Amino acid sequence: MPNAAQKVQPCIVVIFGASGDLTKRKLIPSLYDLYVGKQLPETFAVLGVSRTPMSDDEFRGHLLEQAKKFAHHYDDKTWAEFAPMVHYHAGDSTQAEAFGPLKARIAELAKQHRTGDNVILYLSMAPQLYEPTIVNIGAAGMVTEGKAWCSINREPSWQRIIIEKPFGHDRESAAHLNRVLGRVFEEESIYRIDHYLGKETVQNLLVFRFANTIFEPIWNRNYIDHVQVTAAETVGVEGRGGYYDSPSGGALSDMIQSHLLQVMAVVAMEPPVTMRADDIRLEKTKVLIGARDITTDMIPKMAVRGQYGPGQNEGTAVPGYRQEKGVNPASQTDTFAALQVHIDTWRWGGVPFYLRSGKRMAKKLTEIVIYFKPTPHALFREQAMKKNGIPPNQIVINVQPDEGIRLRFEGKVPGAGMNMKSVEMDFDYVKQFKAKPPEAYATLLLDAMRGDQTLYKHRNEIEEAWRIVQPVAEHWRENPQDDLPNYAAGTWGPSAADVMMARDGRHWHNP
Ligand code: BG6
């Protein structure tokens, strides 16, 4: 598990796909914030690699605007100290010939910045470019298995690779990518990123569950009725129509296959034997293995797809998905997906997990809601009749925004009679710790520099996650749905998702 005291060794972070959005919006602002927090190694450099010709200065200029917007602690003076560590190299990483000059550039920077031979290779590019890039990295001899490479020093060195999602578009393509990676890198050098694992509240789940005695005894089928995980966004596809309207796009593949199944795995995992990365990842993998196959006949009951039509976003009229740039005007892509997952294990038998995610929804919010079972004996029957039933106890874990945890239970209304009302105990992350949670990418980049894989996914987790969603994704592709778009932008998604819940006698938690 991340250990703040662990020393970070000097290194260079090489970002492939550096002219893309992620570099500007997340990677550079996060590295800059780490610099502000004095968490970067003493000697450090970043090298952006893309095809577009650019000088170092032009690249820095291209990053500045977004750094001002997205870094948590921007100021001109500190940026002026940080920027000289950032460099740029134009090259096409799908071409083997590009790697001679690239290696020479890395060696030159390693000398200039005294970073030694430690390198993080960050693939932040179109997913079809992953394989040729990995093959070329291997063929160019950039992975030295601990031996010195740039010949700057003779210390044992490391080369690690971070790979962005989408990691494959189904189980077979993910397994193939894992094999390609495995021919070049050891598993301990492969960092498959899922930025939800870097979110402070998701990590806090481990502490909440395993550092406290009061929750774990009730964290099972005897007390829990069902669990909901919602990741709702108010944004549309934000100029990413081309990617989103492809086989690895859509809410099911883009969000549920990765982020939501990971959150579910953390909620549902058994206590790990130790806090070591492999022990934690093994327990998460076991949850995913336990998820029941969704057979074709079950899909209409267990999965709902939606697509937004024109509507409102925070008071402004916005177009429908099919009118977005780069999207097929007859697109069948799901901008909303809801999925019911059953984990066939001793702990979770009979407890459904309902996962849903959508774009252009009513509110930006990611939350986990644990619904508890009713009391075994209804002592307050009369009051329950008045209130239309006693609401179940709930633990609401706000992943973002307003990070925190709320426990909802029944309390007695003061005064005569035994009237009751739902009340809340509230833990607010910002109020309690007087700090804004760090950006997930900053946490994860630092972990990769420290060699800590806890918050990165093991190959088996990714392949299992594809196994869970793949039958649904394929069924949807093969069977167009006539009523799309089926929800207006700015709402909580299609009514079919409410019907799915109502069929089970439940309803979504829509704050
Ligand atoms: C990304 C998805 O992984 O996560 C995007 O590809 C989505 O489509 C984003 O918008 C959501 O992340 P966050 O941190 O804003 O919830």
Side-chain angles (χ1 to χ4, degrees):
M1 202 46 195
N3 168 4
Q6 211 169 310
K7 197 162 162 270
V8 190
Q9 291 173 323
C11 63
I12 297 187
V13 175
V14 180
I15 305 172
F16 291 95
S19 57
D21 255 14
L22 189 78
T23 308
K24 284 192 286 197
R25 294 163 69 114
K26 299 284 181 188
L27 304 182
I28 295 293
S30 298
L31 289 168
Y32 168 83
D33 279 334
L34 289 172
Y35 176 77
V36 174
K38 303 201 182 337
Q39 290 172 293
L40 286 182
E42 266 168 38
T43 55
F44 177 76
V46 180
L47 178 63
V49 181
S50 280
R51 280 179 297 197
T52 325
M54 243 189 290
S55 67
D56 284 359
D57 275 339
E58 281 166 335
F59 184 52
R60 291 165 191 155
H62 156 92
L63 301 171
L64 180 60
E65 195 83 355
Q66 309 273 10
K68 285 184 181 167
K69 190 163 159 200
F70 291 106
H72 289 191
H73 309 284
Y74 182 85
D75 72 77
D76 290 343
K77 185 172 162 282
T78 318
W79 177 260
E81 290 165 20
F82 172 78
M85 291 189 264
V86 179
H87 301 268
Y88 184 80
H89 179 85
D92 179 351
S93 63
T94 64
Q95 304 300 315
E97 311 80 74
F99 277 74
L102 175 61
K103 269 184 83 175
R105 184 76 198 279
I106 296 173
E108 178 196 310
L109 291 175
K111 204 165 170 186
Q112 178 187 336
H113 291 279
R114 294 176 292 110
T115 54
D117 295 340
N118 300 329
V119 180
I120 288 185
L121 303 154
Y122 197 120
L123 303 197
S124 162
M125 54 204 337
Q128 64 275 20
L129 309 182
Y130 290 166
E131 180 170 351
T133 303
I134 296 162
V135 169
N136 288 337
I137 288 171
M142 287 171 77
V143 184
T144 66
E145 293 178 2
K147 291 190 278 298
W149 160 45
C150 305
S151 312
I152 304 301
N153 62 29
R154 297 287 151 213
E155 300 270 307
S157 65
W158 45 258
Q159 293 80 38
R160 299 177 185 140
I161 186 160
I162 304 183
I163 307 162
E164 265 299 329
K165 63 185 272 284
F167 195 102
H169 53 86
D170 58 16
R171 190 178 198 184
E172 186 38 47
S173 54
H176 174 74
L177 185 55
N178 275 325
R179 287 193 292 273
V180 170
L181 277 164
R183 282 185 215 117
V184 179
F185 293 90
E186 297 289 336
E187 179 65 28
E188 72 225 29
S189 302
I190 304 173
Y191 289 70
R192 300 172 192 84
I193 202 162
D194 187 312
H195 77 278
Y196 268 55
L197 290 177
K199 292 187 189 281
E200 201 66 33
T201 17
V202 175
Q203 293 174 68
N204 186 41
L205 262 173
L206 290 172
V207 176
F208 182 72
R209 289 193 53 201
F210 305 129
N212 296 301
T213 44
I214 57 175
F215 303 113
E216 205 45 31
I218 54 170
W219 211 259
N220 56 50
R221 64 189 302 276
N222 297 326
Y223 297 95
I224 293 178
D225 177 75
H226 74 281
V227 178
Q228 297 183 16
V229 182
T230 295
E233 299 182 272
T234 50
V235 292
V237 282
E238 294 201 294
R240 290 160 76 229
Y243 151 71
Y244 200 81
D245 215 39
S246 73
S248 37
L252 183 66
S253 298
D254 180 48
M255 293 292 289
I256 295 189
Q257 186 275 339
S258 50
H259 308 321
L260 274 75
L261 282 173
Q262 278 296 316
V263 171
M264 181 193 88
V266 178
V267 171
M269 68 191 268
E270 294 300 318
V273 176
T274 72
M275 286 305 279
R276 278 200 297 265
D278 277 347
D279 291 338
I280 293 177
R281 300 194 311 170
L282 177 65
E283 295 307 336
K284 284 196 289 145
T285 307
K286 281 156 66 178
V287 170
L288 298 170
I289 290 173
R292 193 181 302 163
D293 278 329
I294 301 176
T295 52
T296 313
D297 56 317
M298 292 306 291
I299 293 173
K301 280 209 183 98
M302 296 181 64
V304 172
R305 74 176 130 172
Q307 189 187 77
Y308 64 84
Q312 296 280 319
N313 179 26
E314 284 152 14
T316 310
V318 290
Y321 176 67
R322 289 178 181 182
Q323 288 83 52
E324 301 268 13
K325 199 164 149 248
V327 172
N328 172 356
S331 173
Q332 280 284 321
T333 300
D334 48 306
T335 61
F336 171 98
L339 188 70
Q340 199 180 129
V341 181
H342 290 265
I343 303 169
D344 289 330
T345 59
W346 198 274
R347 185 189 285 259
W348 294 115
V351 180
F353 282 70
Y354 298 94
L355 316 180
R356 76 176 161 160
S357 181
K359 294 210 181 273
R360 285 274 188 247
M361 295 192 56
K363 201 168 175 209
K364 161 94 181 153
L365 157 105
T366 302
E367 67 169 22
I368 304 156
V369 188
I370 317 283
Y371 277 86
F372 287 88
K373 292 189 166 168
T375 53
H377 172 48
L379 270 177
F380 296 99
R381 201 173 285 121
E382 218 176 281
Q383 289 86 343
M385 304 261 280
K386 270 198 248 160
K387 274 177 61 133
N388 211 0
I390 298 178
N393 292 156
Q394 289 167 23
I395 295 180
V396 182
I397 300 161
N398 266 36
V399 174
Q400 63 183 18
D402 308 328
E403 293 82 355
I405 299 177
R406 274 176 293 137
L407 172 62
R408 196 161 179 226
F409 57 99
E410 291 306 291
K412 181 187 170 297
V413 178
M418 262 298 184
N419 294 324
M420 52 182 87
K421 187 172 183 292
S422 298
V423 293
E424 281 177 355
M425 271 184 348
D426 203 354
F427 152 63
D428 181 309
Y429 189 100
V430 175
K431 267 195 219 146
Q432 191 75 37
F433 293 113
K434 307 206 172 18
K436 194 169 169 226
E439 165 61 45
Y441 274 93
T443 305
L444 293 170
L445 281 162
L446 191 60
D447 282 355
M449 290 183 224
R450 289 192 186 119
D452 188 328
Q453 289 180 303
T454 310
L455 302 176
Y456 285 88
K457 298 194 274 201
H458 189 274
R459 62 177 293 173
N460 296 340
E461 294 179 72
I462 297 204
E463 291 175 27
E464 280 304 322
W466 276 120
R467 175 194 55 83
I468 299 166
V469 303
Q470 189 166 342
V472 180
E474 280 172 1
H475 181 80
W476 285 355
R477 261 198 296 278
E478 286 156 17
N479 296 279
Q481 186 170 307
D482 296 338
D483 70 349
L484 299 183
N486 58 357
Y487 70 99
T491 64
W492 280 106
S495 56
D498 301 323
V499 173
M500 174 173 96
M501 290 300 253
R503 219 183 282 126
D504 294 351
R506 300 180 174 116
H507 57 85
W508 291 107
H509 188 259
N510 290 341

